[in-house]
Amino acid sequence: MSDSAIELSGVGKKYRFFSLDNIHLKLPEGQIMGLIGPNGAGKSTTIRILMGLVHQDTGHVRVLGFRMPAEQVAAKWDIGFVSEDMRLYESMTLGWHMNFIQSIYPNWDPAYAQLLLKRFGVRAEQKIKGLSHGQRVKAMLLLVLARKPKLLVLDEPTTGLDPVARHEILRELTNVMADDGRSVLFSSHNTQDVEQISDQITFIDRGRIIDSMDKEMYLDRWRRLRLEAPLGIELPALPGIVDVRQEGRLAIATANAFVPDLANAYERAGVRVQRIESMTLEEIFVANVEHSREEVGA
Amino acid sequence: MRGSVVRGLILKDWRLQRAQIICSLCGGAFALALVQWGGETPIVVGGVWFFVALILVGHTLPLLGIINERKKQHLAFLMSLPVSYIQYTTAKLVANVVLFLIPWLTLVSAAVMLIEIRGVVPPGAIPVVLILALLPFVGFSLITGAVLVGETEGWGLAANVFCSSTYGLVWYFLTRIPGLMAHATGPSPVWNSTALIILAGECALITLLLGLTYFLQSRKRDFV
C-alpha cells in the first residue's frame, strides 16, 4: 500500500486547444495540498483525471493506492469530491440529499451531519433552489464531510463566496484536518484561501506543473531584494534570481532560491542592497507564473 | 455494509420522476375513459390522446431525466459517488426503461382489457393497437440513446423531432398493410404472420437501440 494519497506520474491529456503535459504530483497522506493556477491552467482537468472522470492519454494515476481510472469505484468510496461546477437537485431538499448519500455510504455519521447543519446555518428541510450560493457550497461540503472520507478533493470550492462564507468553510476544513489520516487537495486561484490551510503548494499554468513544494519552503526561499546600483555598475546575473526590473539606479530582483549569500554577492559587485522583503504567496505565484512563461517563451 | 449505488441511482430517478409518471397515467386513463364513452368522435379523440400520453412520457423521460442531469450539472455530483460511468449508464437505462414501462404496461394492458371486456372498439383491433403502442417505445429507446450517447440537448431535440414527425408516417403505412387491417374490425384478434413480424421487428429495434446505447457508452473515456 502506498503512503501517498495521490500520485500522478507523467500524466498527459490532449484536447484540441489545450493539453496537460507530463504532470507529476504527489500528495502524502494526511497533508493538505493547494493547487493554484490561473483560470484555464489545467486544475480542473487534473482533478477530473485523478477522480477517474477523464481518462489520461499518458502516464499513471494512483489515488489512495488505487489505479485510476480502472479502480475508480473502489477509490471513490473514500474520496469526498466537491467541485465549483457541481450542483445538487434544485427541486429536492437538503434532507433528501442527505438520505440519498446515507443510503450509499456506510460511514455516514448522522450526528456529525446534524452538527454541520448547525455550524453551516442550513436546514435539512430547505429546498436546494432556496439556498444561496454559499449555502449550496456548504450543503455539498456537508454531504461530503459527514461520510468521513480519507481524501477530500475540492475543486475551487470557495469561488464566488462572500468573505464570511469562505471563512466558515476554511475553518471547517481546518477542523476536518484534525483527523490526521485525512488528506486534502484544494484547488483555487485564490492564494489567500490556499495559504491559510495548505501544507504544500503546487503551481500549475498552461497545463504544466511549474513548481511544487512545502508552503514554508516557498515563503523561505522567495524574496524580493530592493537594490541600488551606482552609475556605471551593472547588475550581475546571479543564480536564483528569476526576475530583475530596473529603473535608473533602482532595481528590484526576485529570488526563488534566496540565501543570505545572494545579498553578499550583490554587495561584492558594488550594488547596494537596500532591503530584503518577504513575499506573499500571491506575489510568489505571480512571479512564478511569469518566470515560467518567460522560460517557455525563450 | 456498502449499499448498491446502482440501486440507489435507480431509486433516486424514481423519486425524481414519479410525478411525471403519475401525470401520464392520469392522462392515459382519461383518454381510455373517453374511448369508453362510445361513438366515433370520443373513440378517435380518446385514441389519439391515449397515444399522445404514451408518446409524451416516452419523450420527456429521457429529456428530463438524462439531459437535465447533465445540463443542470448534477452529473458531476453523481459521478463523485462510487460508481463507474458504465454503472451510471446501466442505472440510467434500467431506471428509464422501468419508469417508462410502468405507464406503458399499465395503459396498454388497460386498453387491451377494455377492448376485450367492453367491446367499444372491436377486439380484432388488438394487434393494431399493440403495434401502434410499441412505436412510442421505439421512440423512447431512440431518444434515450441519443441523449445518453450524444450528451447534448441538441441530440435529444433532434431525436424528438425525428420521432414526432415519423409516427404519423409509420401509422399511415401500417394501416395500409392489408394483412394487418383486414381483421381489425373482426370479433376476435387475429395473430397472423404480418402482425407477428411487425411486433417482432419493433421489439428487435427496441433491443438494438438500447443495446447499441450501452455498447457506445462502454467505449467512452471522458464523462464530465
Side-chain angles (χ1 to χ4, degrees):
Chain A
M1 194 73 177
S2 161
D3 59 355
S4 294
I6 294 173
E7 209 171 334
L8 278 76
S9 64
V11 170
K13 177 78 184 171
K14 277 201 189 318
Y15 293 102
R16 197 170 162 203
F17 297 111
F18 173 76
S19 66
L20 209 59
D21 291 327
N22 197 25
I23 299 289
H24 291 269
L25 194 68
K26 200 168 182 175
L27 172 63
E29 278 184 13
Q31 297 268 303
I32 304 185
M33 177 184 278
L35 183 63
I36 306 179
N39 292 330
K43 302 184 293 290
S44 294
T45 306
T46 305
I47 283 177
R48 284 171 188 177
I49 286 175
L50 69 89
M51 285 299 297
L53 304 177
V54 169
H55 288 211
Q56 66 272 23
D57 296 332
T58 56
H60 304 283
V61 181
R62 274 190 180 270
V63 178
L64 298 173
F66 295 101
R67 284 180 301 114
M68 301 297 264
E71 297 173 334
Q72 61 170 294
V73 175
K76 286 196 284 191
W77 283 106
D78 288 314
I79 305 174
F81 175 45
V82 172
S83 158
E84 188 259 331
D85 62 5
M86 185 184 274
R87 300 284 182 274
L88 302 174
Y89 291 93
E90 292 199 327
S91 59
M92 308 310 276
T93 63
L94 175 55
W96 179 88
H97 286 87
M98 289 164 72
N99 289 336
F100 174 53
I101 295 295
Q102 189 172 9
S103 72
I104 291 170
Y105 288 91
N107 290 349
W108 178 267
D109 183 340
Y112 185 42
Q114 290 302 319
L115 182 73
L116 288 173
L117 278 174
K118 273 189 196 154
R119 274 193 200 166
F120 286 157
V122 284
R123 291 185 4 211
E125 57 272 22
Q126 274 182 291
K127 282 195 174 174
I128 300 301
K129 65 181 166 195
L131 301 178
S132 66
H133 175 59
Q135 287 175 316
R136 288 179 194 204
V137 173
K138 287 175 187 171
M140 278 194 282
L141 272 177
L142 182 153
L143 294 172
V144 160
L145 295 176
R147 66 195 200 219
K148 308 258 173 165
K150 288 181 188 162
L151 169 65
L152 273 175
V153 177
L154 308 172
D155 187 10
E156 310 228 15
T158 52
T159 300
L161 293 182
D162 63 72
V164 177
R166 263 176 48 211
H167 180 75
E168 284 173 344
I169 282 166
L170 293 174
R171 187 184 56 202
E172 199 50 46
L173 285 176
T174 311
N175 289 340
V176 163
M177 287 313 295
D179 178 354
D180 288 339
R182 190 160 299 152
S183 319
V184 181
L185 179 69
F186 181 100
S187 96
S188 180
H189 55 253
N190 187 327
T191 50
Q192 281 181 338
D193 291 352
V194 174
E195 191 170 3
Q196 274 186 52
I197 63 166
S198 300
D199 306 311
Q200 296 206 11
I201 307 281
T202 296
F203 291 135
I204 185 167
D205 184 45
R206 294 182 175 172
R208 294 182 315 120
I209 300 275
I210 53 176
D211 214 350
S212 182
M213 66 175 86
D214 212 72
K215 181 177 74 181
E216 298 307 325
M217 208 178 277
Y218 268 119
L219 298 173
D220 280 351
R221 290 176 56 168
W222 283 78
R223 287 285 188 279
R224 195 185 296 115
L225 292 88
R226 293 195 180 272
L227 310 170
E228 187 184 344
L231 284 173
I233 301 279
E234 257 190 51
L235 287 174
L238 298 176
I241 297 292
V242 293
D243 183 51
V244 177
R245 279 157 212 261
Q246 188 167 10
E247 265 187 50
R249 290 185 304 129
L250 299 177
I252 298 172
T254 307
N256 72 349
F258 177 78
V259 282
D261 208 33
L262 207 53
N264 298 336
Y266 274 122
E267 297 281 5
R268 281 198 297 273
V271 178
R272 193 166 78 84
V273 178
Q274 291 181 325
R275 208 161 57 235
I276 300 170
E277 297 170 344
S278 298
M279 293 172 71
T280 64
L281 195 61
E282 182 159 320
E283 289 167 333
I284 294 171
F285 166 55
V286 172
N288 216 331
V289 167
E290 284 176 350
H291 174 57
S292 154
R293 288 181 182 179
E294 275 167 20
E295 269 190 342
V296 171
Chain B
M1 176 94 179
R2 287 174 171 181
S4 160
V5 185
V6 173
R7 195 186 61 198
L9 292 177
I10 293 170
L11 287 174
K12 180 258 314 167
D13 274 354
W14 159 246
R15 288 182 197 120
L16 289 170
Q17 309 282 354
R18 60 186 163 194
Q20 191 194 342
I21 303 301
I22 291 166
C23 284
S24 66
L25 275 170
C26 293
F30 177 74
L32 286 176
L34 199 61
V35 171
Q36 300 315 303
W37 195 280
E40 192 180 340
T41 306
I43 289 176
V44 171
V45 173
V48 169
W49 283 1
F50 171 77
F51 287 109
V52 166
L54 295 182
I55 291 168
L56 269 180
V57 71
H59 287 211
T60 52
L61 262 179
L63 290 176
L64 293 177
I66 301 172
I67 277 297
N68 265 2
E69 214 152 66
R70 191 172 272 277
K71 204 171 111 186
K72 295 191 173 178
Q73 297 172 301
H74 306 313
L75 188 58
F77 166 63
L78 296 176
M79 289 309 297
S80 73
L81 304 175
V83 66
S84 67
Y85 197 63
I86 201 65
Q87 286 173 319
Y88 168 80
T89 301
T90 306
K92 269 289 150 204
L93 283 176
V94 171
N96 272 268
V97 170
V98 169
L99 289 175
F100 176 73
L101 280 176
I102 292 170
W104 190 89
L105 277 176
T106 309
L107 292 174
V108 173
S109 310
V112 169
M113 277 196 293
L114 286 170
I115 292 172
E116 284 277 15
I117 296 165
R118 303 255 307 166
V120 176
V121 175
I126 288 175
V128 180
V129 168
L130 278 182
I131 286 169
L132 296 184
L134 272 172
L135 285 177
F137 200 166
V138 175
F140 158 80
S141 307
L142 180 69
I143 295 169
T144 300
V147 294
L148 266 175
V149 177
E151 297 180 357
T152 62
E153 197 171 19
W155 276 103
L157 289 175
N160 197 353
V161 169
F162 173 77
C163 290
S164 303
S165 56
T166 309
Y167 290 135
L169 280 176
V170 177
W171 284 24
Y172 174 80
F173 286 115
L174 283 175
T175 51
R176 296 277 170 301
I177 298 173
L180 191 65
M181 295 311 290
H183 313 285
T185 51
S188 59
V190 175
W191 300 100
N192 60 15
S193 59
T194 308
L196 292 175
I197 286 171
I198 296 172
L199 281 170
E202 287 178 314
C203 292
L205 194 53
I206 290 165
T207 311
L208 179 75
L209 285 167
L210 295 176
L212 192 62
T213 301
Y214 190 82
F215 172 73
L216 292 174
Q217 287 292 92
S218 69
R219 295 172 64 85
K220 280 190 182 168
R221 288 165 57 86
D222 301 337
F223 313 121
V224 178

